[in-house]
Amino acid sequence: MMFTATASFAQQDAQFTQYMYNTININPAYAGSRGAMSIFGLHRTQWVGLDGAPVTNALSLNTPLGDSNMGLGLSFVNDRIGPTVENAISVDFSYTIQTSEEYKLSFGLKGTGNFFNLDATMLNPQVAQDPSLQNFNKFSPNIGAGIYFHSDRNYIGISVPNMVESKNYDDNNVAIYKERLNYYFIAGHVFDFGPNIKFKPALLSKIVAGSPLQVDVSGNFMFYEKLVLGVAYRWDAAVSALAGFQVTDGMYLGYGYDLETTRLRNYNSGSHEIFLRFELFNNVNKITSPRFF
């Protein structure tokens, strides 16, 4: 043991199964791309039954700025993992170029303020009043950027939401919890299977230094522009069941359930994710049929 050293890297950015509806949190270029003011709220309970498992709440708003090519977004993410709580407040700005009759290319910038808190009272150290395990609070700013190429039926995006590697908790100048760069690639396409059925395969790939490549693939069917049913697979991690319902033209309700495929499934009963999206259409850019992304 004296001559052995190991390093482990755990979950970094908050994880979402239905990322295709929550794109603004990982790619700022998405802001305003739906042509309407979009308000989004999500609650995720991960690994139910496992003590200290992640619990995430997200709230966001994004909108185009009038008839201009610009979009603006504001988001808040609360992520609780064990004795740590991280709150992130982000402002997103996008600029869109019409590259053809159908396609647009959007560039985005993200500015984020991260508030990290360690509650040492939740720990049970062997040595009482251990000086290296005390309450800790830190604020750290960050910046991010993204590109989003899209039409009404296709999208591809590349982004880095946080470009600054911040050390959220130090012990004798050693980073116990270091925020590393997360690189995201997303893609999706909508197929028509008849007049009342649409199918959308989607992909998310995330690269984090020191961690295995994460790949999420999903397939969703939309029936009569109302009911959405689908499945997803997170490589070497989980399989998911997805469902959604377009309550009104401006309101969409979604749910996702993850079942672990690793040995971790022996210690939890899965993960639950529920979200609500509400959109306010304007007279100029009114969306006449529900968008699949």
Side-chain angles (χ1 to χ4, degrees), residues 259-272:
L259 180 65
E260 290 293 314
T261 58
T262 67
R263 286 180 294 176
L264 189 60
R265 68 179 180 272
N266 298 322
Y267 307 97
N268 73 90
S269 57
S271 305
H272 301 271

Side-chain angles (χ1 to χ4, degrees), residues 193-263:
F193 286 2
N196 298 312
I197 301 177
K198 295 179 181 179
F199 174 66
K200 189 194 76 172
L203 166 73
L204 177 146
S205 179
K206 182 170 71 171
I207 300 174
V208 184
S211 296
L213 173 68
Q214 177 182 315
V215 178
D216 289 39
V217 292
S218 65
N220 281 285
F221 286 92
M222 176 182 276
F223 303 95
Y224 296 93
E225 296 189 340
K226 286 290 185 180
L227 177 64
V228 176
L229 297 173
V231 294
Y233 176 65
R234 184 172 300 118
W235 188 265
D236 280 341
V239 292
S240 307
L242 312 175
F245 188 72
Q246 193 77 42
V247 183
T248 67
D249 283 347
M251 184 182 298
Y252 182 81
L253 178 66
Y255 171 77
Y257 174 75
D258 298 352
L259 180 65
E260 290 293 314
T261 58
T262 67
R263 286 180 294 176

Side-chain angles (χ1 to χ4, degrees), residues 24-25 73-77 88-92 110-114 161-162:
I24 190 66
N25 275 319
L74 179 66
S75 60
F76 171 75
V77 177
I89 301 175
S90 301
V91 176
D92 303 286
K110 178 186 288 287
T112 303
N114 289 291
N162 297 302

Side-chain angles (χ1 to χ4, degrees), residues 151-185:
S151 69
D152 287 341
R153 292 187 171 271
N154 306 276
Y155 68 88
I156 296 176
I158 300 173
S159 60
V160 183
N162 297 302
M163 291 183 170
V164 180
E165 292 190 341
S166 57
K167 299 178 180 179
N168 285 338
Y169 182 69
D170 288 347
D171 181 18
N172 297 322
N173 295 320
V174 177
I176 305 299
Y177 175 30
K178 183 177 182 179
E179 184 74 28
R180 295 181 177 272
L181 270 65
N182 289 246
Y183 301 89
Y184 288 90
F185 172 79

Side-chain angles (χ1 to χ4, degrees), residues 100-151:
S100 69
E101 185 176 346
E102 296 183 358
Y103 286 91
K104 298 178 181 180
L105 179 62
S106 300
F107 302 89
L109 293 174
K110 178 186 288 287
T112 303
N114 289 291
F115 300 85
F116 177 82
N117 174 261
L118 170 67
D119 184 1
T121 62
M122 297 180 64
L123 303 175
N124 186 25
Q126 283 186 313
V127 179
Q129 305 300 320
D130 188 334
S132 65
L133 295 174
Q134 302 298 316
N135 289 348
F136 180 82
N137 296 277
K138 183 178 180 180
F139 169 77
S140 56
N142 217 312
I143 58 172
I147 300 174
Y148 186 63
F149 184 62
H150 59 101
S151 69

